[in-house]
Amino acid sequence: MEIFYYKDGFNYVNDKPINLCLGFFDGLHIGHKFLINKAKQLNENVGVLTFVGALKNLTNKRDTKALLTSLEDRKEILQSMGVKYLFVAEFNLDIMNMSKDDFLDKMIKPLNIDTLVVGNDYTFGSKASGNVDYLRTKFKVEVVDFVLEDGKKVSTSEIINYIKEGKILKANELLGRYYSIKGVVEHGLSNGSRLGFKTANIKPKDNYVFPKKGVYATYVKIEGKTYLSMTNIGNHPTIDRLDYESIEANIFDFEEDIYQKEVEVYFLEFMRDEKKFDSVNDLIVQLNHDRDYVVAKYKKTC
C-alpha cells in the first residue's frame, strides 16, 4: 500500500484511475469495511482518504483524540483489506474552513478519480456545505448505506460508548474485530508477582479509548505470537491504589522478559467490575476464578 500525506496537495501521480473512499475512517468498523469492499467490487484500484487530528478542538464534536484506531492501526487494517493507496490529511483549521469546491479542487480532483465511494450522509467543505448530491455534479459517485444494527447506522461514537460501558462484545461485533490497544511494557509495582499473577504493565502508544474499569478476557500479541491472558483496567484499589487508570495484563504460560517491548492487547469479554477486596486472600481467590473462566472459555481459540 502506498501512503501519501497532504501538504497543499498530495504528491500522487498514477495513470490508472482509482476508486476513492471518502470519510474520516477513524473507527474502521463494519460499515467502513462494507464501503471499502464495495469500492473493490467496482475496481481493485482502491484508495482511502482518512484524517487525523483533534476534531473536538475545532468543531466541538466528538473528541477524536480518544482513538479507536491510531493511524498505524488504520494502515495495517487497510493494507490487510487490499487497499492500494492511503491518503492522509491532518484535520486542521485550513481544511475545516475549505469551501466545498476548494476541498474537491485541492484534495480530490488531482487524484485521477474513476469513482468516489461514500456513505449516504457524507458531507464535506466548510460547515458541511457539500453533500452527496453535489458530489454527483462533479464525479461518478457510488453511495453505500452503512451497515445497520438494530435499525440504526453503525457509528464510531456508538462503538466508543459501548467500550466505555464495558459492552465489549457489542463493540467487537460492530468493529468486525476485537478492540485492541497497542502499548509498551513498563516496570510497575510488582504486586502481581507477589500475588502469583505476574502482570505486564502496558503504556498505550496512543490516546486510545479506555474500556470501562474492570477485568477482561484478553489476548496479548507479542512479537507476532498471541497468548491468552486476563487484563485489568483501573486503579487496583486493594493494593497500592493508583491515582490513574492502568492496563495490567496477566499473560498465561509466559515468563519471558518483555520490558520495553511493544505488545497489543485484544479485548474479548468484560468479566467483572474492578472492586476493593476485604483481604489479599479474597483477591487471590477471585483472580483464580477469573483465570479458570478465561482458560475454560478461550484456550482452544488461542
Side-chain angles (χ1 to χ4, degrees):
M1 184 173 69
E2 296 184 62
I3 303 173
F4 303 88
Y5 296 90
Y6 182 82
K7 187 175 182 181
D8 299 322
F10 290 109
N11 185 24
Y12 168 85
V13 178
N14 196 319
D15 292 335
K16 295 182 179 179
I18 63 173
N19 292 330
L20 183 66
C21 302
L22 299 180
F24 213 96
F25 296 106
D26 47 341
L28 276 178
H29 51 60
I30 56 175
H32 294 138
K33 293 176 180 178
F34 185 76
L35 188 149
I36 293 166
N37 285 329
K38 180 63 176 180
K40 289 175 63 179
Q41 291 172 13
L42 299 173
N43 182 332
E44 286 294 321
N45 216 33
V46 172
V48 169
L49 172 62
T50 190
F51 293 90
V52 293
L55 183 64
K56 183 177 180 181
N57 294 341
L58 302 178
T59 66
N60 294 319
K61 294 184 179 179
R62 177 175 53 79
D63 185 359
T64 57
K65 290 192 293 184
L67 297 167
L68 284 181
T69 54
S70 68
L71 181 58
E72 178 183 332
D73 298 333
R74 279 176 255 178
K75 290 176 182 177
E76 291 179 4
I77 295 169
L78 292 170
Q79 180 159 307
S80 72
M81 293 184 67
V83 171
K84 293 188 176 180
Y85 308 102
L86 177 61
F87 302 94
V88 181
E90 181 183 356
F91 191 78
N92 53 30
L93 286 171
D94 288 340
I95 288 180
M96 188 186 77
N97 291 324
M98 277 184 182
S99 69
K100 59 186 179 184
D101 290 312
D102 281 347
F103 178 84
L104 296 179
D105 289 343
K106 293 182 178 181
M107 303 192 73
I108 307 300
K109 287 184 178 178
L111 300 182
N112 191 12
I113 302 299
D114 180 348
T115 304
L116 295 179
V117 186
V118 299
N120 59 357
D121 60 351
Y122 178 73
T123 59
F124 60 96
S126 177
K127 298 180 180 179
S129 55
N131 56 24
V132 172
D133 289 336
Y134 189 74
L135 273 184
R136 283 188 166 122
T137 68
K138 308 290 183 179
F139 297 94
K140 183 167 63 174
V141 178
E142 183 76 20
V143 179
V144 177
D145 285 335
F146 274 3
V147 177
L148 298 181
E149 179 69 21
D150 298 331
K152 296 188 298 184
K153 173 187 169 184
V154 177
S155 73
T156 299
S157 295
E158 181 181 32
I159 295 169
I160 287 174
N161 288 336
Y162 282 140
I163 292 171
K164 290 181 176 180
E165 294 167 0
K167 298 176 181 177
I168 201 70
L169 294 175
K170 191 69 172 178
N172 289 342
E173 178 185 344
L174 298 183
L175 283 170
R177 64 180 186 279
Y178 294 125
Y179 178 61
S180 67
I181 292 177
K182 288 180 180 175
V184 176
V185 178
E186 296 190 334
H187 287 278
L189 300 175
S190 299
N191 287 324
S193 295
R194 289 193 287 270
L195 296 175
F197 292 86
K198 183 178 180 181
T199 60
N201 298 274
I202 300 163
K203 181 180 180 180
K205 290 185 64 179
D206 289 283
N207 191 19
Y208 289 95
V209 175
F210 257 51
K212 175 185 175 181
K213 289 197 293 185
V215 179
Y216 293 80
T218 54
Y219 296 136
V220 175
K221 182 183 285 186
I222 307 167
E223 296 181 330
K225 188 173 180 180
T226 302
Y227 300 87
L228 192 59
S229 57
M230 59 184 184
T231 299
N232 187 78
I233 302 288
N235 315 94
H236 52 70
T238 304
I239 304 174
D240 295 331
R241 180 184 177 90
L242 302 173
D243 58 3
Y244 59 90
E245 290 187 15
S246 66
I247 304 175
E248 297 178 89
N250 173 233
I251 306 170
F252 303 162
D253 303 318
F254 185 84
E255 296 295 335
E256 296 177 29
D257 183 349
I258 54 173
Y259 288 118
Q260 301 308 311
K261 289 188 178 181
E262 181 178 314
V263 301
E264 186 169 7
V265 182
Y266 297 86
F267 293 87
L268 313 182
E269 179 183 344
F270 176 81
M271 295 194 294
R272 62 173 176 86
D273 290 319
E274 185 181 50
K275 61 175 286 187
K276 179 176 174 60
F277 289 87
D278 293 334
S279 70
V280 172
N281 284 337
D282 288 345
L283 172 59
I284 292 173
V285 169
Q286 181 62 61
L287 289 174
N288 277 302
H289 285 318
D290 294 337
R291 181 166 57 188
D292 289 345
Y293 175 85
V294 175
V295 170
K297 187 168 183 179
Y298 293 103
K299 186 173 183 179
K300 291 183 179 179
T301 67
C302 188

